[in-house]
């Protein structure tokens, strides 16, 4: 085995997900609305195959050779009609892991005044947008529920191997955060990103 060749090849390799699932990136838009500092959220179109009708930030999967920031900006432009010229980028937040196992990279940005007049919703993906005041999120902490998931193996394993893994079934309990704001349910990954931001803003005060 030529270890020097392996070393040279890996030195030029750009790491990616082993299972082929590309990471995602989202933009977390701060806006002024009705005299208050708010966060802007989307309600995903009901016709979408993946997570229809859910509350989210603009974003999506990264394309090959695309950075996380480029992805967040591209998705925001495609979904809301807002380009980098319509905002001030504040910076990257800590990334989080989606329940399906891929990382999500959030970027905080402040939309320029007049953002409401520039919005052009892609109705194939976005049903509506709405804002939640930061003051509401700060003084109404998210509720938490715990979800249990049970893991089993595929029946194709030999009996002796399957028994080692399935007896007992592996259980995992994970906390799920959520806010219920005026009939809009903000939960899961989007709620985790929001909670991180609220805690970080508190530290800056």
């Amino acid at each position: 085995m030529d270890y020097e060749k392996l070393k040279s090849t890996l030195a030029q390799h750009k790491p990616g997900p082993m299972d082929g699932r590309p990471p995602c990136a989202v933009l977390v838009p701060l806006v002024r609305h009705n005299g208050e500092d708010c966060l802007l959220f989307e309600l995903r179109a009901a016709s979408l195959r993946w997570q229809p009708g859910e509350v989210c930030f603009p974003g999506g999967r990264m394309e090959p050779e695309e950075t996380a920031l480029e992805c967040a900006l591209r998705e925001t432009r495609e979904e809301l009609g807002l380009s980098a010229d319509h905002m001030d980028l504040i910076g990257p937040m800590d990334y989080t892991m989606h329940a399906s196992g891929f990382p999500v990279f959030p970027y905080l940005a402040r939309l320029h005044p007049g953002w409401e007049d520039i919005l052009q919703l892609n109705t194939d993906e976005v049903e509506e947008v709405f804002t939640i005041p930061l003051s509401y999120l700060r003084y109404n902490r998210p509720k938490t529920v715990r979800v249990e998931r049970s893991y089993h193996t595929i029946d194709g394993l030999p009996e002796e191997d399957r028994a080692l893994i399935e007896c007992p079934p592996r259980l995992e309990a994970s906390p799920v955060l959520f806010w219920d704001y005026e009939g809009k349910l903000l939960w899961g990954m989007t709620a985790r990103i929001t909670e991180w931001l609220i805690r970080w803003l508190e530290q800056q005060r």
Side-chain angles (χ1 to χ4, degrees):
M1 185 178 294
D2 189 340
Y3 289 101
E4 289 303 317
K5 181 179 179 181
L6 295 179
K7 182 178 179 180
S8 175
T9 301
L10 274 183
Q12 303 173 46
H13 173 68
K14 182 179 179 181
M18 287 186 179
D19 60 4
R21 296 177 181 174
C24 292
V26 299
L27 193 80
V28 182
L30 288 169
V31 299
R32 288 288 293 180
H33 184 63
N34 292 334
E36 293 191 81
D37 291 319
C38 303
L39 281 174
L40 181 68
F41 296 91
E42 296 179 357
L43 187 65
R44 290 171 59 84
S47 59
L48 290 172
R49 183 173 60 179
W50 190 55
Q51 296 179 316
E54 290 193 4
V55 172
C56 66
F57 292 115
R61 293 184 176 182
M62 292 170 55
E63 296 181 350
E65 304 303 322
E66 187 177 48
T67 67
L69 176 57
E70 289 169 344
C71 172
L73 293 174
R74 173 182 56 77
E75 290 283 350
T76 301
R77 183 175 63 254
E78 292 174 359
E79 295 172 11
L80 302 182
L82 297 171
S83 71
D85 294 335
H86 300 132
M87 64 188 75
D88 292 323
L89 182 67
I90 298 175
M93 300 164 56
D94 285 348
Y95 70 87
T96 185
M97 296 299 295
H98 191 273
S100 297
F102 55 83
V104 179
F105 298 92
Y107 284 84
L108 185 63
R110 180 181 67 88
L111 301 189
H112 294 166
W115 59 271
E116 302 100 319
D117 301 324
I118 304 171
L119 280 177
Q120 294 182 357
L121 302 188
N122 179 349
T123 55
D124 290 335
E125 298 188 45
V126 183
E127 184 172 322
E128 63 174 293
V129 296
F130 64 96
T131 60
I132 301 181
L134 292 180
S135 58
Y136 176 90
L137 296 166
R138 182 178 297 123
Y139 296 115
N140 295 272
R141 309 308 292 178
K143 298 178 182 178
T144 304
V145 295
R146 298 192 70 81
V147 177
E148 283 194 355
R149 299 180 177 90
S150 178
Y151 296 86
H152 296 273
T153 59
I154 300 174
D155 292 337
L157 284 174
E159 182 66 33
E160 62 273 16
D161 295 333
R162 188 166 67 245
L164 289 174
I165 300 174
E166 290 187 341
C167 299
R170 188 159 59 104
L171 291 176
E172 179 179 288
S174 56
V176 175
L177 303 178
F178 70 95
W179 278 275
D180 188 350
Y181 179 77
E182 296 185 353
K184 302 288 197 309
L185 185 63
L186 168 60
W187 72 286
M189 182 190 69
T190 303
R192 292 200 307 273
I193 294 173
T194 301
E195 169 67 1
W196 185 97
L197 176 61
I198 295 301
R199 287 189 284 106
W200 183 78
L201 290 174
E202 285 293 312
Q203 295 170 4
Q204 313 311 308
R205 291 169 66 86

